[in-house]
Amino acid sequence: MSIAAPLDRSLVEQIVREIVLAQVGGPPGKPNLVVSVSARHVHLTDQDVETLFGAAHKLTIAKDLYQDGYYAAEETVMVVGPRRRMLPTVRILGPTRPESQVELAFTDGISLGIDLPVRPSGNIEGTPGCVLVGPKGVVELKKGVIRAERHVHMAPADAEHYGVKDKDHVHLRVTSSCSTVFEDLLVRVGKKIKLEVHLDTDEGNACDIDHAASVELLRP
Amino acid sequence: MSIAAPLDRSLVEQIVREIVLAQVGGPPGKPNLVVSVSARHVHLTDQDVETLFGAAHKLTIAKDLYQDGYYAAEETVMVVGPRRRMLPTVRILGPTRPESQVELAFTDGISLGIDLPVRPSGNIEGTPGCVLVGPKGVVELKKGVIRAERHVHMAPADAEHYGVKDKDHVHLRVTSSCSTVFEDLLVRVGKKIKLEVHLDTDEGNACDIDHAASVELLRP
């Protein structure tokens, strides 16, 4: 069990918050469990990147994320809600995707005035929209503003270890000064994926993940 | 089981957030369980009220809280953190107390730049301070900025029902689209107290308490 040093607070607000708790040194064959906290962020299509940042613009990598090939970009956008309330600098995560999507915590949704639906990433039919403002243009999203359903990424070998399959659900127990069991994390199995739980900032703050002593996945 | 209508979002941000889930109609003798979510707020001494709002000033009741005699005041203060970041309008809760105290969620602490200790209300030795700014003056608190430890108020008869005593701990299970078990709620027993769990906004948002289907206290 080792805990990475928390990010400097100012950095936390600059870039996607990624607190990592790694459970290491268990019995042979036990997968290392990493819990990451994602602050509010945006995924964009290639087209929306060009509209917001200029023709032929490509995202610039600011920081690699734990999963290979994924990154926090240098670029940020302003997210504007229905009553012209806004979040001025919301980080973009790369790479680009087939559909643009905004992932917020409920705390963010309350400040924007958007009643967020809880959805698995990519499942955005019927969700609220918003306006994105970049340095070179504006995009009106008709849908795609969600609170991401808590989930855990894992490789087929991890799924076998835990006795679960893709789209099953597991619980996460966090032991801290504010110990909490998050129930029903969606299991997403993929090849070349590292074992990693994604919580949002409300969840990470509720259980004080920054100072957690241990994390554990439990079958319901 | 009945759920009060969520407060209008704009009202939520104006006044202390108090989402109430009442568990009613259970077996005879089962206490009604109410879960309230407290947004960031300040408790003040009489002296600090006068310094911030003027000589002989008394707090004005804006909204009665669930416990008899407690209220959200009309008055708000600005809370300023160590790096001159601030929260412009933080609600004051009455009545006044022997020591001033600021209760924030971790999300608030991050935005202010204060690393919050988790403390039972009133236990503020060695905690961080802050500056409070009112219309008539400024107070520098040397201590008193905390995240309140999750807790449940109850009367002696409730304690007997649950088989617990003052300062014991119980778990709270919230069933919703984001079901969560909050462990180790501090039990505070008092005469003339109504059964009520207090969560902060991070905890309330993490479990989507606004749309919860049921709430339940569990003995560890």
Side-chain angles (χ1 to χ4, degrees), chain B residues 186-215:
Chain B
L186 180 65
V187 173
R188 309 192 79 156
V189 179
K191 289 178 187 168
K192 298 190 182 171
I193 293 294
K194 299 183 206 171
L195 180 63
E196 182 186 27
V197 167
H198 277 173
L199 300 179
D200 69 14
T201 45
D202 288 336
E203 292 162 336
N205 287 336
C207 70
D208 194 9
I209 192 81
D210 298 20
H211 304 106
S214 69
V215 292

Side-chain angles (χ1 to χ4, degrees), chain B:
Chain B
M1 174 73 217
S2 78
I3 302 176
L7 294 172
D8 177 78
R9 290 293 190 197
S10 59
L11 187 62
V12 165
E13 288 138 60
Q14 294 295 323
I15 215 167
V16 168
R17 188 168 166 225
E18 190 185 52
I19 304 293
V20 172
L21 272 176
Q23 203 168 7
V24 297
K30 186 173 185 184
N32 295 339
L33 175 61
V34 168
V35 176
S36 298
V37 176
S38 304
R40 53 183 176 254
H41 62 269
V42 174
H43 300 282
L44 293 178
T45 63
D46 288 326
Q47 176 59 56
D48 287 348
V49 169
E50 295 204 21
T51 304
L52 293 163
F53 297 96
H57 187 91
K58 301 291 178 200
L59 294 175
T60 308
I61 298 176
K63 178 173 175 289
D64 287 315
L65 299 180
Y66 182 62
Q67 298 292 338
D68 294 335
Y70 293 84
Y71 57 90
E74 294 282 359
E75 291 84 352
T76 64
V77 290
M78 178 189 293
V79 175
V80 185
R83 283 179 279 155
R84 287 181 292 177
R85 294 200 229 155
M86 60 90 193
L87 296 165
T89 50
V90 180
R91 186 67 48 183
I92 298 168
L93 298 195
T96 54
R97 289 191 176 190
E99 288 194 292
S100 293
Q101 175 175 301
V102 178
E103 298 183 31
L104 304 175
F106 278 159
T107 299
D108 304 318
I110 290 169
S111 81
L112 269 187
I114 298 180
D115 202 1
L116 296 171
V118 179
R119 292 290 185 91
S121 182
N123 180 355
I124 59 173
E125 274 309 308
T127 59
C130 69
V131 170
L132 304 180
V133 182
K136 295 290 176 64
V138 175
V139 168
E140 187 184 351
L141 295 183
K142 298 294 187 190
K143 60 184 178 183
V145 184
I146 64 171
R147 177 189 204 174
E149 183 178 351
R150 345 164 143 148
H151 58 278
V152 52
H153 296 283
M154 57 176 73
D158 302 320
E160 189 176 336
H161 171 84
Y162 286 109
V164 296
K165 57 185 190 306
D166 192 49
K167 298 194 174 66
D168 279 356
H169 289 82
V170 294
H171 297 346
L172 173 73
R173 181 160 194 279
V174 177
T175 307
S176 68
S177 65
C178 309
S179 293
T180 302
V181 179
F182 297 105
E183 299 190 348
D184 302 327
L185 279 72
L186 180 65
V187 173
R188 309 192 79 156
V189 179
K191 289 178 187 168
K192 298 190 182 171
I193 293 294
K194 299 183 206 171
L195 180 63
E196 182 186 27
V197 167
H198 277 173
L199 300 179
D200 69 14
T201 45
D202 288 336
E203 292 162 336
N205 287 336
C207 70
D208 194 9
I209 192 81
D210 298 20
H211 304 106
S214 69
V215 292
E216 185 181 8
L217 286 183
L218 308 168
R219 266 209 296 181

